[in-house]
Amino acid sequence: MATPTVENYLKTLLALAEDGGQVSLSDLSKSLGVSTPSANNMVKKLSERGLVEYQKYRPLALTPAGRQEAALIVRKHRLTEMFLVEQMGFGWEEVHPIAEQIEHVKSPAFFARMDELMGFPTTDPHGSPIPDAEGNLSPEKRQRLSDCAEGQTAVVTGLAHSSSDFLLLMNDRKIALQTEITVHHRAPFDGSLTVSYPGHERVVLSKTVGDCILVDA
């Protein structure tokens, strides 16, 4: 049975691979806040268990078994976040640290019941897809708001970044999932966007914010 530490390694490897493709040992150690030798020792153990493909000086990769196990951890995390928001009234900026603890619960029945109570949601409160019970993850067809053409109207369907600081900024700007945003202008110098959405006219968003808001492609 995987320990919380093993699960954190697998989940982090999956996230890094989805963000940037190839994953180095230094990427992994930095993301987890551990030393490179510690990460190296754990990766070797995961390789012996058939969860990680490991060769010295080569990028790291999850095996099919490792990827499935990582996806099931993500499933528990995202189901928990959705439950906390939908059933318990937490804000979407509050749920990540709580879900980090609950995702390590080993009872499949607990999460199956949670899923059923919510009517089997397919996304979490931040619009990220929830893997199914077999660890399958549906491909996403979305683009960044910052890539939208001038004059284009798009619906917010997810976030590429879900830190509490960013979510509080979204709260302050009154931007949520399903908000319909029209891009009026993109500044040539810094890529900042002038946008409108219900109740807000000609709001300027930085390129950083535009990069983190995902819309229907």
Side-chain angles (χ1 to χ4, degrees):
M1 184 176 292
T3 65
T5 298
V6 167
E7 292 183 343
N8 286 337
Y9 268 83
L10 294 175
K11 186 179 69 170
T12 301
L13 279 166
L14 180 63
L16 289 171
E18 289 179 343
D19 285 345
Q22 294 188 336
V23 181
S24 69
L25 194 61
S26 61
D27 293 333
L28 180 61
S29 62
K30 183 178 179 180
S31 292
L32 288 166
V34 300
S35 69
T36 301
S38 294
N40 190 55
N41 288 336
M42 178 58 77
V43 166
K44 286 180 178 178
K45 292 177 182 177
L46 296 176
S47 176
E48 291 169 0
R49 292 175 56 178
L51 300 174
V52 174
E53 295 176 4
Y54 170 74
Q55 294 182 23
K56 203 170 184 180
Y57 307 122
R58 300 290 300 275
L60 304 172
L62 291 168
T63 64
R67 183 175 179 81
Q68 181 185 44
E69 190 162 335
L72 291 175
I73 299 160
V74 171
R75 170 179 168 79
K76 293 191 291 182
H77 184 100
R78 292 178 179 173
L79 278 173
T80 298
E81 289 191 331
M82 197 64 172
F83 188 85
L84 290 168
V85 169
E86 278 203 348
Q87 304 294 317
M88 302 186 72
F90 282 88
W92 65 347
E93 76 282 1
E94 299 177 292
V95 295
H96 179 74
I98 304 171
E100 285 282 301
Q101 300 174 61
I102 296 176
E103 70 184 30
H104 300 299
V105 172
K106 303 302 181 185
S107 170
F110 175 78
F111 292 98
R113 180 60 174 154
M114 184 185 290
D115 194 19
E116 182 182 3
L117 284 171
M118 293 187 290
F120 309 102
T122 57
T123 60
D124 74 4
H126 314 112
S128 299
I130 298 174
D132 66 20
E134 284 72 48
N136 299 310
L137 196 58
S138 300
E140 298 182 69
K141 294 182 179 179
R142 299 190 284 195
Q143 66 180 31
R144 300 176 300 179
L145 180 67
S146 55
D147 291 330
C148 290
E150 292 182 355
Q152 182 177 347
T153 297
V155 176
V156 178
T157 57
L159 305 174
H161 191 60
S162 57
S163 71
S164 59
D165 286 345
F166 177 64
L167 294 170
L168 287 170
L169 173 66
M170 293 284 283
N171 289 347
D172 184 64
R173 296 297 182 92
K174 301 295 189 292
I175 299 175
L177 298 185
Q178 302 307 311
T179 298
E180 191 173 84
I181 299 179
T182 299
V183 176
H184 298 287
H185 178 68
R186 181 188 293 107
F189 177 71
D190 61 2
S192 60
L193 305 171
T194 301
V195 303
S196 294
Y197 49 95
H200 297 77
E201 294 295 328
R202 302 289 173 172
V203 174
V204 176
L205 301 176
S206 70
K207 185 177 186 301
T208 300
V209 170
D211 285 346
C212 291
I213 297 174
L214 302 178
V215 298
D216 280 336

